[in-house]
């Protein structure tokens, strides 16, 4: 039952009035058939939302809905803050997976990587537009710091600009086609920016030198490792990333989202601080300033886009989450379940762990590959 000390969402629409005699069925029917914009949005945009699906919906409502059970007397349903309005993140059921979908995913990934190599990276195919792009940007200034910032600005403008145009563009050409277009433009720019950073990370002016501090490497390694759990919550559904499944704009609410509503920004800040402190020169600082600035803009732009897409549902999620990590938990707006740790014991988080460790161990290979490009 919802406690009087909580800050509940009161759904005062008359359609939610009912008597106690069949409240189980009526609660479910009212929420699924309601004309209230909050639940209409949830039904339309999140058909798999556990808040809407009957198998999980009734237990949560019965556990947390406050109902006036006086015979014949109307009442409103009061929903406790713990009831999910957004989606449960990082859920993965192996038995719901289709082998054909993952075959398509593998094929698409192979085609994308081949096209990226042939058109952007490897000049032996007669293209190699990546080298021409880097040469053009490098011609703007002799300063590696300025070139680094320009590369980040170009990527940020394209990436955030196309994200902002997602809704009208998807209506025009469809979600899958727009995802392919989005990835086809963003991915080469991201690769160019990363390769330039790797190749020039030790250029510029040395501002500090802390690599001899005994404990610093371990501290920054842990910080960098943690950053990847924040950086990639949007890739929980890889089939959507590859447009095998229809791409959607998700309103996540569990897992890392309880700590911060914008985990990618927090992860990028952690990653940038760790690398800037370790490298300690002006190029690393320039890269950090550019990336953090881009993600701070993404905080505003992301909230704006979610508000436009989800309306009242997003306002509910926003009211009980925070941009600053742990702020909503500390001030009591976010109620952590007793078994909160289970929201991280899921395959996507385990995959992120494995890929993060793999990326760390593959650093020498990444550096060697970048050096061969001479960007």
């Amino acid at each position: 039952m919802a406690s009087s000390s909580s800050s509940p969402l009161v759904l005062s629409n008359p359609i939610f009035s009912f008597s106690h005699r069949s409240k189980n069925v009526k609660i479910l029917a009212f929420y699924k058939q309601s004309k209230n914009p909050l639940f209409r949005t949830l039904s339309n945009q999140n058909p798999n939302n556990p808040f809407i699906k009957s198998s999980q919906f009734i237990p949560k409502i019965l556990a947390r809905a406050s109902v006036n059970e006086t015979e014949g007397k109307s009442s409103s349903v009061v929903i406790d803050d713990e009831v999910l309005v957004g989606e449960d993140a990082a859920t993965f059921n192996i038995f719901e997976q289709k082998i054909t979908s993952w075959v398509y995913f593998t094929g698409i990934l192979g085609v994308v990587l081949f096209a990226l190599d042939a058109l952007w990276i490897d000049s032996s195919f007669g293209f190699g537009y990546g080298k021409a792009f880097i040469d053009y940007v490098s011609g703007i200034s002799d300063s590696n710091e300025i070139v680094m910032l320009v590369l980040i600005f170009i990527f940020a403008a394209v990436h955030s600009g196309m994200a902002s145009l997602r809704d009208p563009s998807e209506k025009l050409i469809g979600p899958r086609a727009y995802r392919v277009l989005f990835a086809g433009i963003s991915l080469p720019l991201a690769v160019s920016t990363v390769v330039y950073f790797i190749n020039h990370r030790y250029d510029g002016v040395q501002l500090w030198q802390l690599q001899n501090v005994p404990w610093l490497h371990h501290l920054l390694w842990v910080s960098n490792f943690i950053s990847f759990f924040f950086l990639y919550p949007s890739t929980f559904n890889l089939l959507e990333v590859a447009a095998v499944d229809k791409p959607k704009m998700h309103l996540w609410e569990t897992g890392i989202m309880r700590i911060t509503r914008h985990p990618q920004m927090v992860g990028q800040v952690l990653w940038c601080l760790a690398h800037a402190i370790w490298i300690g020169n002006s190029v690393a600082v320039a890269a950090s300033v550019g990336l953090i600035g881009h993600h701070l803009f993404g905080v505003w732009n992301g909230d704006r886009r979610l508000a436009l897409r989800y309306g009242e549902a997003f306002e509910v999620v926003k009211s009980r989450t925070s941009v600053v990590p742990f702020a909503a938990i500390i001030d009591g707006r976010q109620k952590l379940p007793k078994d909160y740790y289970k929201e991280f014991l899921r395959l996507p988080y385990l995959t992120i762990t494995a890929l993060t460790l793999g990326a760390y161990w593959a650093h020498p290979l990444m550096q060697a590959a970048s050096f061969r490009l001479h960007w």
Side-chain angles (χ1 to χ4, degrees), residues 61-76:
I61 292 301
L62 293 183
R64 301 182 176 102
S66 176
V67 181
N68 187 331
E69 297 187 1
T70 304
E71 181 69 28
K73 185 176 180 180
S74 297
S75 176
S76 295

Side-chain angles (χ1 to χ4, degrees), residues 123-181:
S123 58
S124 65
F125 286 94
F127 300 101
Y129 295 126
K131 179 66 165 61
F133 172 68
I134 291 293
D135 288 344
Y136 176 79
V137 177
S138 298
I140 296 175
S141 174
D142 294 330
S143 168
N144 296 120
E145 294 85 352
I146 292 178
V147 173
M148 187 78 256
L149 287 171
V150 171
L151 287 171
I152 292 174
F153 176 79
I154 293 172
F155 170 76
V158 170
H159 190 269
S160 294
M162 294 189 71
S164 298
L165 295 173
R166 178 174 179 171
D167 284 350
S169 299
E170 285 186 347
K171 292 178 182 178
L172 185 64
I173 64 176
R176 284 188 172 89
Y178 192 68
R179 173 57 58 86
V180 172
L181 179 64

Side-chain angles (χ1 to χ4, degrees), residues 192-228:
S192 296
T193 305
V194 171
V195 169
Y196 187 88
F197 173 75
I198 292 174
N199 286 349
H200 298 275
R201 70 192 186 283
Y202 289 120
D203 296 342
V205 179
Q206 194 68 34
L207 303 175
W208 56 80
Q209 179 58 262
L210 302 176
Q211 295 184 6
N212 293 326
V213 177
W215 49 266
L216 185 61
H217 178 269
H218 301 293
L219 176 63
L220 296 181
W221 188 94
V222 172
S223 175
N224 191 63
F225 179 80
I226 293 173
S227 76
F228 281 86

